[in-house]
Amino acid sequence: MNQPVTPHPKGSYKLPVFISLGLGFLILPFNLGSSVFLQGDETKPPVKKVFPQGYFVEPTDSSLNIAGNFGEIRPNHFHAGLDVKTAGKEGAYIFAAADGYVSRVKLSATGYGKALYITHPNGFVTVYAHLQRLYRNIKDYILAEQYKQELFEIDITIPKGILPVKQCDTIAISGNTGGSQSPHLHFEVRDEKTEVAYNPFLFGYKIEDTVPPQLLTLAVYPANDTSYVNGKNASRKTRIYGNKGRYKLSSAEKITVSGDIGFGIETYDYGNIKEAGKLGAYSIDLYIDGKRIYYYELNEISFDESRYINSHIDYAEEAKSNREIQKCFRDPNNMLTIYQCVVDEGLFRFTDTLSHLVRFEVKDFFGNKSQLSFQVKSQKSKGKQPATSNLKPETGNYFKCSDENIFEKDGIKVTIPPCSLYEDIDFDYSVSKDTLTGTFAPVHQLHTDMVPNHYAYTLSIRTKKISEKYQSKVLIVSLDGNNTKFPHKGEYEDGPDGAGWVTTETKHFGRYTVALDTVAPSIKPYNIFNNKNMSRAKMIAVTIEDNLAGIKSYRATVDGKWILMEYEPKKSLLFYEFPVAPSLTGEDAQGSLQGGGQRHTFELTVTDGKNNVRTYKAEFLR
């Protein structure tokens, strides 16, 4: 069993918990549970689930000061937990939130970085991510597995009984690994069976928060070709004014609507500690003429659904301006189940000549509420309303989101699987007359990168015939506005017309062409060179980079025996820490790296995504 180096600041005492009731709070003793209705599909009865209060203690040795909350909008996903601050530095002790056993450890250079999972007797799993290092017997167990597999990146399931923990045991040290951009702990609570992530605040965690959410931007959307906002078949965004929960539009702002209309809002939440930065709202309500037509609250998130966030937000607006406007209506292929109420997909049909009251209510988890009310003037439609929204004739390059869509032109083929698009689109395509320097096909413009895909689609591009020597080096690349290349892999095959075809899969529209990668990765010594005396060094470190296809793998040895080097992509750094004591795991199998002035040979081989290989070798003394 792990024993903490320093006692948990809360000990194992379970404080009373404040549960939000909208306008007030209910104080519950630790042995009771709060209950919340889950499952947002309005066609199904809600599921009531009880969440034990005070069962979990805070997982760090500092107060629960958060930099990110549950459900916050992130690129391609909803944030599935709390980002707990660690005073801007690594090295905080991480504690087991409750009794249980370490059931999984996943170590990666990306994503969650070093992550540890604890399964608890009550059917929940807590997750601790972006760790700097694991602790004591957990570290020893995983280190042995890494040397057994000769891999830094591993994902292993650990049987019950191998690594039991008690509440408040030290399990890890906080870090900044993986996709983390600053030191912190990412903490989650999941269901053991379904792996659905729950809002940790449901379990009694709380922060100081008496500040209502902030409302920034209103968006009004025509839903089809015969809908209009202020006389135009285009969305309208307008600034919202106010504070302390009371918001309004400018007195000069007049909104006229006709036909099927949707609304959206940009909103963020802030706790009492401003350093936490902007957080995500807990719930959004939309009423028209006093009738609720849209409502969600963020109690749970399924990882299988999380990418639907690209339909939940105005994706194009976020790409253009970084404004995260949440659409309060549902696209045809938005399968999120966070919604507790969506009437007529959240669209309202304006066909009369009256004024209508639109009202938003936005809340945080602790019941702080902001409200925006405004009038819209309805006008009769300029054209006949379709029976359903987004109905268009099947002509030209019109892609229905429910279907498989295939597009073929000279030199290109696109196959989009069913239900990958969130709504129907008129697919646009163009091709350049010339090829860019260093590429082997024209630039193909596929629609626009402001339209997302949920699933990967297949893209094939025709290129001139490539000699057999270089066929394995061919890949498809996307281009940004500066023609910077981004790799998307690619497999080459000869075509029947004497040309070649390169095929890959991607989730993004945009500009694509074909390139070759024949350049091996670079290896630059950071603290080692031939014949260096490293008796006082704590590690061997090098930087590695690749010009196009990206780093695929690396392997390092000392005196021919594999050593564990960790990869930190944010710094392009690869490093091996010398052991400070004899190890039974095999990391010092040669028995001499602790010191003694012996000569050793370090060798590193790095391979990129197109199997270009670079090797570095140096002798050193230690």
Side-chain angles (χ1 to χ4, degrees):
M1 174 190 310
N2 289 339
Q3 295 299 321
V5 173
T6 182
H8 192 287
K10 304 294 186 186
S12 59
Y13 175 66
K14 300 177 175 67
L15 296 171
V17 178
F18 295 88
I19 303 302
S20 169
L21 293 179
L23 298 178
F25 296 90
L26 172 66
I27 301 179
L28 297 176
F30 73 89
N31 59 339
L32 296 181
S34 69
S35 51
V36 174
F37 287 95
L38 302 178
Q39 175 58 258
D41 187 345
E42 69 275 8
T43 65
K44 301 177 183 178
V47 177
K48 185 177 183 180
K49 190 171 184 68
V50 177
F51 298 91
Q53 301 301 292
Y55 183 86
F56 297 120
V57 298
E58 293 178 8
T60 68
D61 59 356
S62 59
S63 62
L64 194 65
N65 183 8
I66 66 172
N69 66 337
F70 185 85
E72 186 180 333
I73 294 171
R74 299 288 178 86
N76 299 311
H77 70 285
F78 290 94
H79 192 234
L82 300 178
D83 281 346
V84 183
K85 286 193 169 187
T86 56
K89 58 186 179 181
E90 302 182 40
Y93 293 112
I94 305 301
F95 303 113
D99 293 357
Y101 68 95
V102 178
S103 54
R104 180 186 179 192
V105 170
K106 182 177 182 180
L107 308 181
S108 173
T110 58
Y112 280 12
K114 296 181 180 180
L116 180 150
Y117 300 68
I118 296 177
T119 297
H120 304 281
N122 63 352
F124 294 104
V125 175
T126 49
V127 183
Y128 313 76
H130 305 308
L131 305 171
Q132 181 196 82
R133 62 184 68 239
L134 306 176
Y135 198 69
R136 290 191 177 175
N137 62 325
I138 303 173
K139 173 187 174 183
D140 292 341
Y141 183 89
I142 298 304
L143 192 61
E145 285 293 323
Q146 289 176 298
Y147 270 84
K148 180 180 178 181
Q149 300 182 32
E150 295 193 350
L151 290 171
F152 162 64
E153 293 199 354
I154 61 172
D155 185 359
I156 60 173
T157 300
I158 304 168
K160 184 178 181 180
I162 301 296
L163 294 173
V165 294
K166 289 291 188 181
Q167 187 178 65
C168 299
D169 278 354
T170 304
I171 57 173
I173 304 299
S174 73
N176 187 33
T177 56
S180 171
Q181 298 303 310
S182 62
H184 73 282
L185 169 71
H186 175 86
F187 176 72
E188 294 178 14
V189 183
R190 299 185 184 181
D191 186 281
E192 178 185 3
K193 294 182 180 180
T194 66
E195 293 193 349
V196 165
Y198 294 116
N199 191 332
F201 289 150
L202 294 170
F203 297 85
Y205 289 112
K206 61 187 180 72
I207 60 173
E208 293 183 10
D209 188 358
T210 58
V211 180
Q214 183 177 358
L215 312 185
L216 298 177
T217 306
L218 169 72
V220 188
Y221 300 89
N224 49 58
D225 289 343
T226 56
S227 300
Y228 298 88
V229 178
N230 284 23
K232 298 180 180 180
N233 185 236
S235 64
R236 180 176 180 84
K237 280 86 175 180
T238 187
R239 182 179 173 184
I240 299 172
Y241 297 87
N243 56 48
K244 297 182 180 180
R246 298 180 179 179
Y247 288 87
K248 62 182 180 179
L249 303 182
S250 166
S251 58
E253 182 69 27
K254 307 298 181 184
I255 300 176
T256 61
V257 289
S258 175
D260 292 341
I261 300 296
F263 295 87
I265 194 166
E266 180 189 17
T267 177
Y268 303 106
D269 188 38
Y270 296 85
N272 290 4
I273 302 175
K274 288 294 185 181
E275 290 75 15
K278 65 181 184 182
L279 307 173
Y282 171 65
S283 68
I284 296 180
D285 253 311
L286 174 60
Y287 297 84
I288 297 182
D289 295 334
K291 179 183 177 183
R292 174 192 270 179
I293 68 167
Y294 174 92
Y295 174 67
Y296 82 79
E297 61 183 36
L298 286 166
N299 292 309
E300 64 170 308
I301 291 171
S302 168
F303 291 94
D304 292 339
E305 295 181 3
S306 198
R307 189 176 172 84
Y308 285 108
I309 194 172
N310 292 331
S311 177
H312 176 78
I313 66 170
D314 185 334
Y315 187 88
E317 185 65 29
E318 197 278 334
K320 288 186 295 185
S321 67
N322 289 323
R323 291 194 296 190
E324 296 166 344
I325 295 176
Q326 301 187 52
K327 298 187 302 189
C328 297
F329 56 95
R330 190 163 57 187
D331 290 333
N333 190 36
N334 178 354
M335 300 302 171
L336 276 173
T337 56
I338 65 171
Y339 307 115
Q340 278 70 34
C341 174
V342 183
V343 177
D344 294 332
E345 304 305 325
L347 300 173
F348 194 90
R349 180 166 290 179
F350 294 93
T351 58
D352 55 33
T353 57
L354 304 176
S355 292
H356 297 267
L357 178 65
V358 180
R359 176 164 57 92
F360 279 97
E361 288 185 2
V362 182
K363 298 177 184 176
D364 63 25
F365 185 87
F366 300 100
N368 303 300
K369 180 175 68 174
S370 292
Q371 182 171 296
L372 167 69
S373 295
F374 58 94
Q375 297 277 348
V376 297
K377 182 68 166 62
S378 178
Q379 295 180 336
K380 289 190 175 182
S381 174
K382 296 180 180 181
K384 184 179 179 181
Q385 288 294 323
T388 58
S389 299
N390 299 312
L391 185 62
K392 294 183 179 181
E394 298 185 47
T395 59
N397 301 326
Y398 183 66
F399 287 0
K400 293 184 66 66
C401 64
S402 59
D403 298 344
E404 178 184 59
N405 293 283
I406 298 175
F407 176 83
E408 291 186 79
K409 288 282 188 180
D410 291 341
I412 194 166
K413 180 176 180 179
V414 175
T415 303
I416 302 174
C419 300
S420 181
L421 297 167
Y422 297 121
E423 58 183 335
D424 300 348
I425 65 170
D426 286 311
F427 183 75
D428 291 325
Y429 168 77
S430 63
V431 60
S432 66
K433 296 180 180 180
D434 302 314
T435 59
L436 297 174
T437 302
T439 64
F440 295 82
V443 176
H444 299 269
Q445 175 70 57
L446 306 180
H447 204 56
T448 169
D449 58 6
M450 294 184 183
V451 171
N453 275 277
H454 194 76
Y455 303 114
Y457 66 89
T458 302
L459 169 62
S460 297
I461 296 178
R462 185 179 186 271
T463 182
K464 65 180 183 180
K465 185 177 179 64
I466 304 294
S467 67
E468 186 174 351
K469 177 181 178 181
Y470 294 108
Q471 288 179 6
S472 64
K473 309 300 181 183
V474 177
L475 72 164
I476 287 178
V477 295
S478 60
L479 304 169
D480 66 10
N482 297 318
N483 289 332
T484 303
K485 301 182 182 71
F486 298 90
H488 291 267
K489 300 183 179 180
E491 297 295 329
Y492 176 90
E493 63 178 0
D494 287 326
D497 56 356
W501 284 85
V502 187
T503 300
T504 192
E505 291 189 339
T506 178
K507 292 182 178 180
H508 305 279
F509 292 135
R511 301 167 66 229
Y512 287 89
T513 187
V514 174
L516 292 183
D517 185 354
T518 60
V519 180
S522 68
I523 303 175
K524 296 180 181 179
Y526 186 80
N527 73 335
I528 187 174
F529 53 81
N530 208 33
N531 296 318
K532 182 177 180 180
N533 187 336
M534 302 192 72
S535 59
R536 295 181 179 274
K538 294 182 178 180
M539 65 176 64
I540 298 174
V542 301
T543 59
I544 60 175
E545 294 180 322
D546 187 67
N547 72 317
L548 188 54
I551 303 295
K552 182 176 75 172
S553 64
Y554 57 88
R555 178 180 175 83
T557 61
V558 169
D559 301 335
K561 297 182 181 296
W562 185 84
I563 59 171
L564 175 64
M565 296 199 81
E566 296 190 19
Y567 182 35
E568 176 48 80
K570 294 190 290 289
K571 300 178 181 178
S572 301
L573 185 67
L574 196 61
F575 64 94
Y576 163 74
E577 296 179 308
F578 288 115
V580 296
S583 172
L584 300 178
T585 64
E587 65 169 324
D588 190 21
Q590 54 272 53
S592 58
L593 288 180
Q594 296 174 65
Q598 299 184 44
R599 183 173 291 275
H600 302 280
T601 301
F602 169 72
E603 185 170 351
L604 171 66
T605 300
V606 182
T607 305
D608 72 9
K610 281 299 171 181
N611 295 319
N612 300 300
V613 178
R614 179 85 64 188
T615 298
Y616 173 82
K617 183 183 290 187
E619 293 188 353
F620 66 94
L621 299 176
R622 183 174 172 85

